[in-house]
Amino acid sequence: MTSISSVPDFIESLLGNEAKDLLTHKAKVSQNMLHLPGSDFIDRVWINSDRNPQVLRSLQALYSTGRLANTGYLSILPVDQGIEHSAGASFAPNPMYFDPENIVKLAIEGGCNAVASTLGVLGIVSRKYAHKIPFIVKINHNELLNVPNGYDQIMFGDVEQAWNLGATAVGATIYFGSENSTRQIQEVSKAFKRAHELGMATILWCYLRNSAFKQDKDYHLSADLSSQANHLGVTIEADIIKQKMPENNNGYGAVAKAIGTSYGKTHEKVYTELTTDHPIDLTRYQVLNCYCGRAGLINSGGAAGENDFASAVRTAIINKRAGGTGLISGRKAFQRPFEDGVKLFHMIQDIYLSDAVTIA
């Protein structure tokens, strides 16, 4: 790993006038409250936990692979969209990724710490690649062939299957706030317990899902609601939390107003002393709810679009300066030519490698 001492040139060219604000913002909550990423993260944070030595080895493997090896940061390629988003919608823009081997090749060439995908994708190439890059097996998914469409995460595989194919970690999604969330919490908690017994790390996609969260804004992306989902995730011992980057705040208030009665519980100091409207402060609140960074926060890169490189670089800067652990970037990378996907990963990683992009 070689650090970059200056701010990468592409930041200003991609972000324009916003670059200065993102790079110089002083956070509302001091970084002194956080357990920040670093080369000693496993020894400093996880060594005193209840995770057994096999889990510590798996976590160390995740943090010791790729261009970000031994920095405390993670860059992960996730490709499970073939189920929920359909294989056609996901891979038609770049049909080479119908072949699972090309997914793994992209993660390796992109310098990623790990590749996250389905039991089938990773299982069919495991003997060739499981020892070359850490595998994260996503064990539950939302299947969308039913009519009308339903929204429920159900188990597609089990922890033993992930262990047998050589996985370093298992991943799962919970739709917090949905009508099926209670069952999902119980299922995933049980699966994570078994994964830890077998020595694998655990990663939770902490997503919100309820039509009541869509009001004047999409409060699925609110800092307060998404952060509570994070806190529920670390409660069932997710070692790493994947969360969408927040875009607004006070989802509790918006939902209460919409339904005409009280909703959940929060405190005014969340909005006056712990956050501002700045994206770095909103994301730092997400980190606070991951046990002050003891469980790493990785933000998702979002759907592919016209300004993918600018969007990915912006997200990486916000995540790093907020005290997060990295980015998990899928469609922005694999729905474009292979070389461009590699380039996108390297640009993201250069943000985390740059000593000049500091913690706010």
Side-chain angles (χ1 to χ4, degrees):
M1 186 276 297
T2 302
S3 63
I4 300 170
S5 58
S6 60
V7 176
D9 294 336
F10 57 76
I11 291 178
E12 186 172 355
S13 64
L14 288 173
L15 301 184
N17 295 333
E18 190 182 20
K20 182 178 179 180
D21 174 57
L22 292 178
L23 292 171
T24 61
H25 177 75
K26 182 174 176 59
K28 182 82 169 177
V29 173
S30 172
Q31 62 170 280
N32 294 331
M33 291 188 63
L34 307 179
H35 300 272
L36 295 170
S39 59
D40 62 343
F41 189 71
I42 304 301
D43 290 336
R44 176 165 40 90
V45 173
W46 286 109
I47 201 71
N48 293 317
S49 73
D50 64 353
R51 293 354 180 231
N52 65 47
Q54 300 275 18
V55 174
L56 297 181
R57 183 171 63 180
S58 293
L59 284 168
Q60 188 65 61
L62 288 173
Y63 283 98
S64 301
T65 303
R67 293 184 74 231
L68 296 183
N70 305 315
T71 63
Y73 291 109
L74 298 171
S75 172
I76 298 173
L77 169 65
V79 188
D80 62 338
Q81 288 88 348
I83 297 177
E84 180 167 352
H85 298 273
S86 91
S90 301
F91 303 133
N94 200 355
M96 68 180 287
Y97 292 110
F98 278 106
D99 185 342
E101 185 170 13
N102 289 324
I103 294 172
V104 181
K105 285 181 176 179
L106 176 61
I108 293 173
E109 291 297 316
C112 295
N113 298 72
V115 56
S117 196
T118 67
L119 176 69
V121 163
L122 297 177
I124 206 162
V125 294
S126 65
R127 288 186 182 272
K128 186 172 182 178
Y129 291 106
H131 58 294
K132 297 179 181 178
I133 185 171
F135 279 8
I136 302 166
V137 175
K138 186 80 167 17
I139 57 175
N140 69 352
H141 306 281
N142 180 37
E143 178 268 311
L144 280 184
L145 271 180
N146 45 6
V147 182
N149 286 163
Y151 298 94
D152 187 12
Q153 291 286 328
I154 61 172
M155 291 293 177
F156 271 57
D158 62 38
V159 174
E160 278 75 12
Q161 288 174 297
W163 184 81
N164 282 327
L165 66 80
T168 302
V170 297
T173 297
I174 293 176
Y175 285 155
F176 291 103
S178 72
E179 62 180 352
N180 300 302
S181 62
T182 299
R183 192 205 77 246
Q184 292 167 16
I185 291 169
Q186 294 171 334
E187 287 179 349
V188 174
S189 177
K190 182 178 179 180
F192 279 9
K193 175 179 180 289
R194 183 57 178 150
H196 282 153
E197 290 173 347
L198 291 173
M200 290 180 287
T202 57
I203 302 175
L204 187 63
W205 278 240
C206 286
Y207 287 170
L208 301 172
R209 182 62 68 91
N210 194 301
S211 59
F213 295 155
K214 282 195 174 183
Q215 300 301 329
D216 59 313
K217 300 175 183 177
D218 186 357
Y219 291 100
H220 291 91
L221 305 176
S222 69
D224 55 352
L225 295 180
S226 62
S227 294
Q228 178 59 20
N230 291 356
H231 198 77
L232 295 174
V234 294
T235 299
I236 61 172
E237 294 204 332
D239 303 323
I240 297 167
I241 295 293
K242 181 197 176 190
Q243 183 57 269
K244 296 178 180 180
M245 182 154 282
E247 296 182 2
N248 54 63
N249 210 356
N250 199 15
Y252 280 109
V255 173
K257 181 179 179 181
I259 64 177
T261 186
S262 62
Y263 169 69
K265 289 184 180 295
T266 186
H267 195 286
E268 63 179 15
K269 287 187 176 181
V270 171
Y271 313 103
T272 60
E273 296 187 15
L274 299 181
T275 62
T276 69
D277 291 334
H278 198 283
I280 291 175
D281 289 322
L282 297 178
T283 306
R284 177 150 296 180
Y285 189 63
Q286 289 186 341
V287 175
L288 284 174
N289 280 273
C290 294
Y291 293 155
C292 291
R294 288 180 183 268
L297 171 71
I298 53 176
N299 287 120
S300 55
E306 295 182 1
N307 300 305
D308 285 344
F309 285 91
S311 175
V313 167
R314 181 181 186 273
T315 305
I317 292 172
I318 293 169
N319 173 272
K320 181 181 181 181
R321 299 209 71 225
T325 297
L327 244 57
I328 184 163
S329 307
R331 282 168 286 174
K332 290 184 186 303
F334 71 77
Q335 288 188 338
R336 60 178 60 254
F338 188 90
E339 295 77 10
D340 286 351
V342 170
K343 179 182 177 182
L344 183 135
F345 276 120
H346 288 181
M347 291 178 73
I348 290 170
Q349 293 152 10
D350 283 348
I351 299 298
Y352 293 96
L353 291 171
S354 176
D355 294 335
V357 181
T358 60
I359 308 299

